[in-house]
């Protein structure tokens, strides 16, 4: 049996017309970075943790000798709009665990007063893109049409949204509220703050709030500089190789001559 | 624990001496196409949906921005004979889920007044066949003998019927009613409306009803024209290659000469 | 949740000091052939069937158009000694299912009056052996020593007994009765009536009964003649190849000459 | 459902301020060897066994014809400090089973009066090391800092502690007590008494007790002599090969000459 343990960190009052934001680990960690940024910008407070026997069977060792447990964490934000943000260092391992946890997360959100769900994620496109698009899919035609007007695109690939980002939409709908997934284009093989920033910019338009994304822009720039340095390093290596080959050939010619 | 959620769409009265028809996804989607056709021809009405935490952990994105949930759907047909038809975009992922869902589907069928089960499926033969046969296997020797007289064949391969198409026969029998599987020969690597039509033609003889299968014949023809175009395209490619090789050889000869 | 369904075929009285014999499918089908032979020789009567959602999710198609369900079957034998024999077309798929079914089978045996368990199986040695040995392992040192005196050997490979043949020993012991596994040496890649006969001969000594194994000897001879024909056929093929090569070489020589 | 069966061997009184020591099978069997040594040195008495349907589905055959069941065993030690030591021939197979068993073991420990958990394990480094270090990680910063002062190191690899050695820390913390893992460096491909000895030496400092590790030192020396013999044997083989090649070359030269 999949067991989910709730561990309350702090008592909080239910929100009024809150939104539930999901940013669990996924492709490019787009959702996770976005959700963490919201918590930092708006001073989110952790009030609940979930443990589950379908998480990876391990603890994580930190350099200070202490350990982190595998878990999902709930944060509350009161201003500029009431939000509950879900983060974590893992999703469930098995399909069944993913269903049960997504159901539990939506149920907790509703218990604490949310009436709409936004799941944040990446949409893997296999390459870097100067200006990544953000896709939207959701349980309400009206809602996704409005979000399209704010700049989102619709996916036509016929694919799915896997894990909590998809299943939380289903359990929102089955509980009578709407759910929407925002997916930022991302290479898939990199942690991607640029895509996370694009997703947050769209979310802030939807929620009609201001989110300062300077920190994400800074991280995105650092990432790009890092990628540039790698590219430069590779080019230098190739040049040196070519010069070496060229010198060796001259040596050979001299020898022959 | 495998959880199955029933979501009633519409109240209906139990049927009198109804038949349960299963057309969940399987080889060649023969059963699914056949079952969908029945619903279209006889104006089936959806009255129930099943959700299960053993379905693939995802939602499907549609081009209009909305999402489909993984589920199994029950339709009721009143005329020409009372039927309950089960469709869906998935079967359960695990063996255990397949047992539990098949048991649940038969139980729902019986609750709504069916007293015989027909499961529709494909029998993969690895190649296209001008005139595919339909095989029958079931829980009652009398019943399968009668269906053989209507044109079905018996399988002698010693194999099994995997998934809901097989297990629903078992749970029918364990609940005191008969179950029969009709399997249309199909290549296995194609969605196959021709095989589905053959299966429906046999089913209509068994149930003594008329089913207009023109739409399926049209789809089958389109499929065959499509395959012809591919074949033609491949032949052209080969010819062009040969001509090119031939020209190249002439070039070579000229050069030598 | 692993569900096991008991389906009673016939009411029987509990035995007095009966033995439980297990012959589910396993390596070389040694146990299965042995257990089937007991049922035939001593007119075993089926009185119970088990169904389980951890069996392969399928039904088996028979050439007469009917289907077999995956199950385990219990037979009762009253003479020459009271026995309950367990057969079947499958074991559980998952480790957990194997534990739960083995526990259930022992529990049913005890409910029907058995006070000792014998599991029959093969011990794969990767090759044919003129005179296969039978190994014994069990929960009681006294018992295995006695069986050794009757001709069995002890295994020194440090390995295990996997599946019902092993786990039923454990659940026998946990229920306060002794369990013994008899393992006949077998190649592993063949259904092996010869090994089954050796196992039954030992079992009949232990139970102090006469078991006519002529039918098994006949099947073993047929198997050996079949293997001889295959061997002969292969040798002929090789000879023909060699003669052809030889002829071709002569042709070549002639050509050169 | 994962079932865990407790089988009490002997009634014991709960300890006062006892420690729980875990030494289940893991990398290099460091924890297991260490825990076995404690039991031998301090005359541990077995008082409880756990069976689980998520253990490997088998029994182990011993050369005397009897069988061992897969299980975890609890031993009690009263002097020099009260301890409960957990050993076994297996861990659970599935992630879920590992969670449930770790939770159960901690719960049993607390029931019998322990208020601190030490899990012993190996830290695989892929090579032999003259003087292996011992790493520490735990649920309390104060505790791990103290243990660092006694000679342990902190891991900076960003990795995890997998299985019972990690999860028992989590369930200790969730039950309000501290848990610490001691990990001895070990190649990973060898059973490693030297690393186990290092771990025990640190544990004895932490618990302020004397543990005679002569037997482990002896086993470690035997292991090293065994490895030396293998190395020597390999060198001899290589030398003989080289001499043979050299002789063959001389033969060839003679022939040419």
């Amino acid at each position: 049996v999949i067991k989910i343990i709730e561990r309350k960190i702090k008592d909080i009052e239910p929100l009024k017309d809150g939104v539930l934001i999901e940013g669990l680990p996924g492709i490019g960690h787009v959702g996770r970075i976005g959700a963490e940024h919201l918590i930092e910008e708006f001073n989110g407070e952790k009030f609940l943790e979930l443990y589950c026997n379908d998480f990876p069977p391990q603890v994580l060792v930190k350099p200070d000798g202490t350990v982190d447990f595998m878990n999902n964490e709930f944060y509350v934000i009161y201003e500029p709009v009431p939000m509950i943000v879900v983060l974590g260092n893992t999703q469930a391992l098995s399909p069944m665990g993913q269903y049960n946890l997504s159901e539990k997360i939506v149920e907790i959100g509703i218990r604490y007063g949310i009436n709409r769900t936004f799941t944040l994620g990446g949409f893997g496109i296999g390459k870097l893109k100067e200006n990544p698009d953000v896709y939207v899919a959701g349980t309400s035609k009206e809602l996704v049409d409005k979000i399209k007007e704010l700049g989102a695109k619709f996916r036509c690939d016929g694919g799915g949204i896997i894990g909590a980002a998809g299943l939380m939409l289903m359990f929102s709908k089955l509980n009578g509220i709407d759910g929407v997934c925002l997916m930022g284009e991302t290479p898939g093989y990199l942690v991607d703050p640029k895509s996370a920033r694009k997703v947050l910019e769209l979310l802030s338009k939807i929620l009609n709030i201001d989110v300062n994304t300077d920190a994400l822009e800074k991280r995105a720039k650092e990432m790009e500089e890092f990628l540039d340095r790698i590219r430069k390093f590779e080019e230098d290596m190739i040049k040196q190789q070519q010069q070496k080959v060229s010198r060796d050939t001259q040596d050979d010619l001299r020898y022959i001559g």
Side-chain angles (χ1 to χ4, degrees), chain A:
Chain A
V1 185
I2 287 165
K3 283 203 294 188
I4 302 172
I5 302 174
E6 279 186 48
R7 188 181 174 219
K8 202 185 282 181
I9 308 288
K10 190 176 166 346
D11 277 315
I12 66 162
E13 290 294 308
L15 305 178
K16 200 161 154 29
D17 296 336
V19 293
L20 178 60
I21 313 277
E22 176 269 342
L24 292 169
I27 192 159
H29 287 271
V30 171
R32 186 180 183 177
I33 296 172
E36 280 173 352
H37 187 75
L38 281 178
I39 290 169
E40 277 161 35
E41 285 298 312
F42 299 127
N43 301 307
E45 272 186 297
K46 182 155 74 166
F47 67 98
L48 193 86
E49 288 176 349
L50 291 186
Y51 298 87
C52 179
N53 61 356
D54 196 48
F55 285 156
Q58 61 181 21
V59 298
L60 300 177
V61 179
K62 292 194 287 190
D64 73 346
T66 62
V67 290
D68 269 340
F69 307 145
M70 307 312 286
N71 68 12
N72 287 183
E73 304 175 325
F74 287 74
Y75 290 81
V76 62
I77 289 172
Y78 295 101
E79 296 286 345
V81 297
M83 301 185 219
I84 289 183
V85 183
V86 189
L87 287 178
N89 49 20
T90 188
Q91 293 205 22
L93 289 178
S94 75
M96 202 173 294
Q98 293 187 10
Y99 270 95
N100 292 18
L101 266 164
S102 298
E103 186 179 22
K104 172 62 84 181
I105 291 170
V106 170
E107 183 229 300
I108 290 174
I110 290 174
R111 193 198 308 161
Y112 283 99
I114 68 96
N115 60 16
R116 189 168 289 186
T117 299
F118 290 92
T119 66
L120 313 183
F123 180 51
I125 54 172
K127 61 177 183 194
L128 276 168
K129 201 168 158 181
E130 183 64 32
N131 199 21
D133 285 316
V134 179
Y135 290 87
V136 65
T139 59
S140 147
K141 182 66 183 146
E142 291 72 28
L143 197 49
V144 295
D145 281 344
K146 265 189 215 159
I147 293 171
K148 198 182 182 194
E149 282 170 24
L150 296 174
K153 296 202 164 175
F154 289 167
R155 278 172 54 181
C156 294
D157 55 293
I161 307 173
I162 296 172
L167 295 176
M168 283 175 60
L169 305 188
M170 171 173 139
F171 285 110
S172 294
K173 185 73 181 174
L174 290 181
N175 280 287
I177 66 176
D178 279 321
V180 165
C181 180
L182 307 180
M183 294 156 273
E185 286 184 327
T186 184
Y189 47 79
L190 283 174
V191 172
D192 191 348
K194 182 154 84 173
S195 181
R197 191 181 159 219
K198 288 282 181 180
V199 168
L200 276 196
E201 283 173 357
L202 178 60
L203 181 67
S204 62
K205 281 190 208 163
I206 298 170
L207 298 179
N208 200 19
I209 60 175
D210 277 321
V211 181
N212 181 338
T213 57
D214 290 353
L216 287 184
E217 196 176 357
K218 192 159 162 266
R219 278 182 68 182
K221 277 212 178 117
E222 285 166 3
M223 172 71 74
E224 276 172 10
E225 283 165 15
F226 173 72
L227 289 175
D228 279 346
R229 275 203 302 279
I230 289 183
R231 230 174 279 130
K232 181 100 180 34
F233 175 77
E234 285 177 350
E235 284 170 15
D236 287 354
M237 289 300 290
I238 291 169
K239 264 189 215 155
Q240 284 178 23
Q241 281 292 334
Q242 288 170 335
Q243 288 169 356
K244 189 177 175 302
V245 167
S246 161
R247 263 204 317 279
D248 289 355
T249 317
Q250 291 180 346
D251 288 357
D252 287 355
L253 289 175
R254 218 169 300 144
Y255 182 73
I256 291 175

